[in-house]
Amino acid sequence: MTETSSNAFNPNFQDPQAALDTDTLLRSLRRKEGSWVKWGQACQQLQKAGFNPQKIFEETGFEPIQQNQVIVGSQVFTSMVNAGVSEATRQHFERKGSDILYEFRILNQAERAAAADFVVEKSIDLDDSHDLAKAMKDLSPRSTPPEGFTKHPGDAIAYQCWKLARQHSDLQDRSRLIAKGLRFVSSVAARQKLEQLLTDFSITSSRSAPRLPIYRLENEEELPRVLPVVGKLPLSLADLQAVPLTEEVGAFRMVQFSGTGAWVPVPGWKVLLGAEDPVVLLCDSNHLPAPLPGQPEEILVVVDRAQRQWNANSYFVVAQDQQLELQWFDEAPSLSLLGQVILVVRPKRIIDEDLTKDAWQIDE
């Protein structure tokens, strides 16, 4: 997904040719010239040129949320066309469907093309497109599809319906899911699996995803500072001067320096003392596999790279298209596990960080 720039447009200086290009893009968006794909490409070009989403909105009327949708949708459109789709699919999505293609951002290139062709073939709406994307994403890590099903988009959504129907005791909900699965199913074997549920009313309990190991920092003693080490006495002035300036950044006091690498202080809890090869990933709380409630905040995800044996009670780091992801698997995946999530750390709530620097104000 495209990340939007947080820097406001600076009108103080512009290259004449660059100004001409951006003026053309802005005018095109104001007049809604061309297809929505062109709008997305224009919004992305403007953001790269230094316009933030609010500035684009003021100049063109395209709200930031709409900009994000058409930017991501246009990227998915280009990806699926490059992978190969039917001419009917290409023409359909050139006219409309940015919201549907936005749902397919979680899929890889080949899956996006297959999903887009299937949407056009079955005249699938936005809600079913969301379910389709999730169903295909859930099947993606498997080296082989579930017994009786294929990785065809129709079988992917049919499998989700089959799996959910087996967990429902309510006959109305069960029948609705079976009917939905039969509407989309592709293979004969998968259709037979769904039809068996019409006479087999046994209930299969579902396995719930485990809770993330969340801990919020509460005490000042749990926020140690990370300091550079000059060396062991005797030391020279040159040794002292060679130590770079240490700057602490963010809620977790992450330290960066002039060399390669960075450190972040984490209390020596037992779970960390037992880790063989722990590393830290920074992310926002709303980007976790199970997003945390409340306002998004930066969190630490501690991963032990030495723990690569699957178990159903843990989350793991995997690579999808060379990008790291945190995922939970209800059964052993075909993907290589890169490490187990052993701890998720939330920052201490600090009302006024400047206040904590003055001990006399705290005492009062």
Side-chain angles (χ1 to χ4, degrees):
M1 184 182 296
T2 300
E3 293 184 0
T4 57
S5 171
S6 61
N7 297 322
F9 174 63
N10 181 3
N12 294 333
F13 174 80
Q14 282 187 316
D15 176 80
Q17 184 61 43
L20 176 65
D21 292 340
T22 55
D23 286 344
T24 301
L25 292 173
L26 291 169
R27 183 168 58 252
S28 176
L29 287 173
R30 277 194 295 268
R31 297 175 178 176
K32 288 186 168 56
E33 296 174 348
S35 68
W36 69 265
V37 178
K38 297 296 184 182
W39 302 346
Q41 293 169 346
C43 287
Q44 186 175 19
Q45 287 177 289
L46 286 169
Q47 290 184 13
K48 288 183 176 179
F51 288 78
N52 66 19
Q54 183 61 31
K55 180 66 176 179
I56 297 174
F57 169 57
E58 294 169 358
E59 294 283 348
T60 68
F62 278 78
E63 296 184 357
I65 190 172
Q66 186 182 10
Q67 294 172 41
N68 187 51
Q69 178 177 300
V70 294
I71 288 173
V72 175
S74 66
Q75 292 173 338
V76 175
F77 177 86
T78 301
S79 174
M80 76 178 197
V81 169
N82 290 339
V85 294
S86 70
E87 183 62 20
T89 298
R90 186 188 65 78
Q91 291 181 1
H92 173 87
F93 282 109
E94 276 186 334
R95 297 192 305 271
K96 60 182 180 179
S98 63
D99 52 351
I100 289 177
L101 293 187
Y102 180 84
E103 297 293 337
F104 296 161
R105 68 194 184 280
I106 63 176
L107 304 177
N108 63 37
Q109 187 177 47
E111 291 168 344
R112 290 171 178 176
D117 278 333
F118 191 67
V119 164
V120 174
E121 176 189 343
K122 296 291 186 178
S123 301
I124 294 177
D125 60 18
L126 177 59
D127 289 339
D128 285 335
S129 296
H130 175 80
D131 294 340
L132 174 63
K134 184 179 184 304
M136 294 180 69
K137 179 68 173 179
D138 290 346
L139 281 188
S140 184
R142 292 174 176 260
S143 57
T144 57
E147 182 181 356
F149 296 87
T150 69
K151 286 196 173 184
H152 184 279
D155 274 14
I157 198 168
Y159 172 68
Q160 289 296 318
C161 292
W162 175 82
K163 190 165 96 170
L164 291 173
R166 295 173 70 220
Q167 299 168 12
H168 279 273
S169 58
D170 184 88
L171 290 180
Q172 186 174 359
D173 289 340
R174 189 181 178 95
S175 298
R176 177 182 55 80
L177 287 164
I178 294 172
K180 181 177 180 179
L182 290 174
R183 174 190 167 196
F184 294 117
V185 69
S186 173
S187 68
V188 174
R191 178 175 293 276
Q192 292 174 346
K193 295 275 286 186
L194 283 164
E195 290 173 344
Q196 287 173 4
L197 297 183
L198 297 173
T199 55
D200 179 5
F201 298 102
S202 60
I203 306 300
T204 302
S205 60
S206 62
R207 173 181 283 172
S208 299
R211 295 182 61 184
L212 285 162
I214 305 296
Y215 187 94
R216 180 181 290 281
L217 299 176
E218 296 292 349
N219 302 316
E220 290 298 325
E221 292 78 6
E222 294 174 345
L223 291 172
R225 297 185 64 183
V226 177
L227 303 176
V229 178
V230 178
K232 186 176 181 180
L233 295 174
L235 296 169
S236 66
L237 177 61
D239 292 328
L240 180 61
Q241 293 174 335
V243 177
L245 177 65
T246 301
E247 180 181 0
E248 295 178 335
V249 180
F252 291 99
R253 299 179 179 175
M254 185 173 66
V255 175
Q256 294 180 318
F257 73 120
S258 59
T260 58
W263 301 270
V264 62
V266 180
W269 295 312
K270 186 175 181 180
V271 65
L272 293 176
L273 295 177
E276 295 181 35
D277 185 18
V279 296
V280 169
L281 305 178
L282 285 170
C283 77
D284 292 329
S285 57
N286 58 335
H287 291 161
L288 288 170
L292 303 181
Q295 290 295 321
E297 59 183 350
E298 188 178 63
I299 58 173
L300 296 181
V301 179
V302 183
V303 176
D304 189 352
R305 295 186 297 185
Q307 297 188 43
R308 301 189 178 190
Q309 186 67 36
W310 170 82
N311 71 77
N313 296 317
S314 299
Y315 288 80
F316 292 87
V317 175
V318 296
Q320 293 270 31
D321 295 333
Q322 304 302 311
Q323 299 295 311
L324 294 183
E325 292 185 7
L326 302 176
Q327 290 192 21
W328 171 70
F329 304 94
D330 60 355
E331 57 185 64
S334 59
L335 291 173
S336 297
L337 301 180
L338 305 179
Q340 177 183 322
V341 176
I342 60 173
L343 190 64
V344 176
V345 187
R346 305 180 78 169
K348 174 178 170 58
R349 289 193 180 98
I350 299 178
I351 299 175
D352 188 344
E353 289 190 351
D354 290 331
L355 186 66
T356 64
K357 297 177 182 178
D358 296 322
W360 65 271
Q361 293 189 43
I362 297 175
D363 291 340
E364 290 183 356

